[in-house]
Amino acid sequence: MSDKADIALYLLGGTISMAPKKEAHKEGETERPKGGVVPTISADDLCAVIPGLDQIATVRPQTFKKVASANLNMEDALRLKEEIEKLAKTQKCDGVVIVQGTDTLEEMAFLLDIILEVSIPVIVTGAMRSANMVSADGASNILSSVIAASFAPFAMAGVLVVMNEDIHAARYVQKCHTRDVGAFKSLNGGIIGQVCEGMIRMNYLPPQKRVFNFIEKRVVPKVGLVKATFGDEGDILKLITDENFQGLVIEAFGAGHLPESWLDHLDILIKDMPIMLCSRTSEGPVFQNTYGYVGAEIDLIGRGLIPSGILDGPKARLYMQACLMSGMAITPPDY
Ligand code: ASP
């Protein structure tokens, strides 16, 4: 019997699977074709050209979708959850790698982190450069992810992101650059570890998280995200009603502060829907008990807004959707 790990790999699309549009590609063309790259390559073809992959694990690739990650949504995450949980229960599967576009990678990873109930490593990865580019990073990212998915201690780590040989906890990771292969950073927490010389060098395991149990599939609630900007009087809040949104997240200034001009609208909205307060500053938690002026965090929390801890707007939005879908109370997250 082989002692190699058995790894299920799901491809959803993204740059890693992109190649120049067929009609735009001319024989001998050295420059980037005008038509740009689009999702093309299958999971099998991606894995087939990765040197050494078969020595590390038995990888079972599956093309789940072929889309740019802007087109992924909660339904895709729920389908993945079902698939992965079924696989973990019924078949020999030591770990899972999900391969997708980097634009929404941190959101998929975070969402899976709070809804998946499995005790095998689950890794999300992608690439900043498509396969036709010089120094494409896709093969290396998949290889590193398979190494991480084969590392048993990561069964207790929640969903992780592996990019550029860095290993990130889903709750901390953010795409911070449009081009750099080192675009992913662990803000607030630091990296979990690294893949180095084919081995895992682990720094720490992230603390346990709250997992939302979806008893039944329900309609995905619409939760809006509004960002505070200089001189903005919050007019956008007037367009939000309980008919178009079931919840709202506000990315406020600094440690969680809004202009006084927003407060009357907020007082009306909070009667109809839960509102989470987070910071538009990328690092540090939203405060709860420091500033005493009108529109600062003490006042806003007093009006009923729920502080989001270190979660930024996009992650707080998913957190609220998960709370609403599971019927659980929307309490501040533990992190
Ligand atoms: N636009 C691409 C996507 O998210 C970017 C990437 O994969 O890096 O699908």
Side-chain angles (χ1 to χ4, degrees):
M1 233 179 77
S2 155
D3 56 2
K4 278 194 292 185
D6 214 292
I7 305 296
L9 181 144
Y10 297 96
L11 172 68
L12 309 185
T15 294
I16 197 164
S17 67
M18 293 195 195
K21 270 188 208 164
K22 272 216 174 84
E23 64 272 19
H25 187 78
K26 292 186 208 111
E27 193 72 19
E29 193 164 33
T30 48
E31 279 189 333
R32 216 166 151 193
K34 267 202 210 120
V37 292
V38 292
T40 307
I41 307 166
S42 69
D44 281 306
D45 289 348
L46 266 184
C47 291
V49 294
I50 302 176
L53 188 64
D54 56 350
Q55 328 246 289
I56 293 164
T58 304
V59 178
R60 301 184 195 285
Q62 238 195 81
T63 306
F64 201 71
K65 283 201 125 178
K66 265 194 198 175
V67 295
S69 71
N71 298 311
L72 296 172
N73 58 29
M74 173 74 84
E75 285 306 327
D76 296 311
L78 291 176
R79 267 185 63 214
L80 271 174
K81 170 183 158 69
E82 267 171 27
E83 282 271 332
I84 295 169
E85 286 175 356
K86 205 171 3 151
L87 197 70
K89 269 193 208 127
T90 58
Q91 286 180 31
K92 176 177 156 20
C93 175
D94 301 304
V96 172
V97 174
I98 296 159
V99 183
Q100 68 152 84
T102 60
D103 291 350
T104 63
L105 195 150
E106 69 212 49
E107 281 158 274
M108 178 64 89
F110 177 71
L111 184 53
L112 289 174
D113 190 46
I114 59 172
I115 66 174
L116 252 184
E117 292 184 87
V118 289
S119 38
I120 51 173
V122 178
I123 312 293
V124 188
T125 193
M128 296 299 291
R129 297 178 181 164
S130 52
N132 60 315
M133 289 175 79
V134 173
S135 298
D137 53 332
S140 159
N141 286 342
I142 290 180
L143 192 71
S144 299
S145 296
V146 169
I147 294 168
S150 311
F151 186 65
F154 283 162
M156 302 315 293
V159 175
L160 301 176
V161 169
V162 174
M163 290 290 291
N164 201 30
E165 298 182 333
D166 284 338
I167 307 167
H168 307 266
R171 75 190 65 164
Y172 301 135
V173 73
Q174 247 186 57
K175 183 177 180 180
C176 299
H177 204 284
T178 54
R179 170 197 53 73
D180 193 344
V181 291
F184 283 76
K185 307 271 181 237
S186 272
L187 306 181
N188 287 301
I191 58 170
I192 298 297
Q194 292 168 58
V195 183
C196 187
E197 299 180 306
M199 311 279 281
I200 301 294
R201 295 181 73 91
M202 191 169 80
N203 298 340
Y204 69 100
L205 283 178
Q208 289 297 309
K209 82 272 170 175
R210 182 175 169 191
V211 174
F212 294 89
N213 204 336
F214 290 93
I215 300 151
E216 61 194 67
K217 250 195 191 179
R218 301 184 198 190
V219 178
V220 180
K222 288 205 186 285
V223 174
L225 171 58
V226 173
K227 187 171 193 155
T229 51
F230 183 75
D232 173 10
E233 299 194 337
D235 294 322
I236 201 156
L237 297 182
K238 291 183 201 156
L239 303 174
I240 296 171
T241 68
D242 58 351
E243 276 167 28
N244 51 28
F245 286 102
Q246 283 82 60
L248 183 65
V249 174
I250 296 183
E251 269 197 359
F253 298 121
H257 307 145
L258 290 173
E260 290 179 23
S261 55
W262 286 46
L263 303 180
D264 287 346
H265 302 317
L266 276 182
D267 287 341
I268 295 168
L269 275 178
I270 195 97
K271 292 196 187 105
D272 290 335
M273 65 184 71
I275 305 180
M276 272 194 116
L277 174 69
C278 51
S279 171
R280 65 174 208 165
T281 312
S282 301
E283 288 194 84
V286 88
F287 283 8
Q288 300 197 28
N289 202 18
T290 297
Y291 289 96
Y293 57 86
V294 175
E297 78 281 357
I298 295 175
D299 179 36
L300 295 174
I301 293 167
R303 288 169 195 264
L305 275 72
I306 305 152
S308 77
I310 59 159
L311 298 183
D312 62 6
K315 287 192 182 119
R317 183 179 157 273
L318 294 172
Y319 178 86
M320 187 186 274
Q321 283 182 309
C323 289
L324 291 170
M325 289 180 77
S326 63
M328 287 162 83
I330 306 171
T331 52
D334 306 330
Y335 29 85

